[in-house]
Amino acid sequence: MHQKLGGSMKKFYIASSLKNIETVRFVSELLKQEGFIHTYDWTLNDNITSINQLKDIGKKEIDAVMSSDFIVILFPAGKGSHVELGIALGNGIKAYLYSQNDEINDFETTSTFYHLDEICKYKGPIEQLIQVILKDQKTEDISKSSDNSSPIKRIATGFGLK
């Protein structure tokens, strides 16, 4: 199945911390199997030894976020992920936040930005996150093509989004 939604292949970026490399790769593979295009796989970077390498990676990550139709942020997420979330929000790019343990809603550690209407939050099995994204992206495309309204901000609460 290929997601030729809106006339072209939908593109995504995944932000997370180095602790989540295997989960990032797993989610990327599931989305690519559905026909989405991963804009940049930062998990392939290794043996970084200079500021210039970090600068180059930073530029690639900015470009990847900017060219994405949506981003996925897997918690725990580091400071780079939060910068990428800001880039996405500032440019009207849909963001999906995923947490296994609901840390997104922990009042002591949450961010105001996690609770904006432009953010879809999900807690539950990672495989179901993919189903949420698929349904949401399909619904968004239908909405855009039928009435050119603004993007859908949430999908059914039955999927665990708040």
Side-chain angles (χ1 to χ4, degrees):
M1 172 198 220
H2 292 285
Q3 294 298 317
K4 278 202 156 186
L5 305 174
S8 63
M9 303 299 278
K10 292 265 187 153
K11 297 177 184 175
F12 70 93
Y13 178 80
I14 302 175
S16 192
S17 72
L18 292 172
K19 299 174 198 169
N20 289 336
I21 284 178
E22 291 307 315
T23 306
V24 169
R25 290 177 178 164
F26 179 70
V27 170
S28 174
E29 282 307 311
L30 291 176
L31 288 171
K32 289 190 295 187
Q33 286 173 12
E34 293 294 334
F36 292 101
I37 298 168
H38 195 173
T39 56
Y40 180 68
D41 187 352
W42 57 266
T43 70
L44 300 176
N45 296 323
D46 62 354
N47 202 24
I48 309 303
T49 58
S50 73
I51 296 296
N52 282 336
Q53 285 175 303
L54 290 174
K55 182 178 176 180
D56 182 56
I57 292 167
K59 287 179 180 179
K60 289 176 182 174
E61 290 176 344
I62 290 170
D63 291 344
V65 171
M66 295 290 293
S67 66
S68 295
D69 295 297
F70 63 91
I71 68 166
V72 179
I73 299 179
L74 305 175
F75 283 76
K79 59 187 171 196
S81 300
H82 287 84
V83 170
E84 293 157 345
L85 173 62
I87 293 167
L89 286 172
N91 287 282
I93 297 166
K94 181 77 169 243
Y96 298 89
L97 302 187
Y98 171 79
S99 172
Q100 283 186 313
N101 61 15
D102 206 31
E103 67 190 280
I104 295 167
N105 292 313
D106 181 344
F107 194 75
E108 297 298 317
T109 59
T110 195
S111 166
T112 55
F113 297 102
Y114 299 169
H115 308 284
L116 296 175
D117 289 339
E118 296 85 358
I119 301 280
C120 283
K121 298 182 288 180
Y122 181 75
K123 174 189 157 204
I126 195 81
E127 296 83 1
Q128 287 185 355
L129 170 66
I130 304 306
Q131 296 307 310
V132 168
I133 293 169
L134 290 173
K135 181 173 181 174
D136 192 43
Q137 289 298 309
K138 181 178 179 182
T139 303
E140 239 182 49
D141 192 60
I142 290 168
S143 174
K144 284 180 183 176
S145 66
S146 65
D147 63 6
N148 291 331
S149 64
S150 62
I152 295 196
K153 295 181 178 176
R154 302 187 191 274
I155 62 172
T157 27
F159 281 100
L161 300 175
K162 297 178 182 180

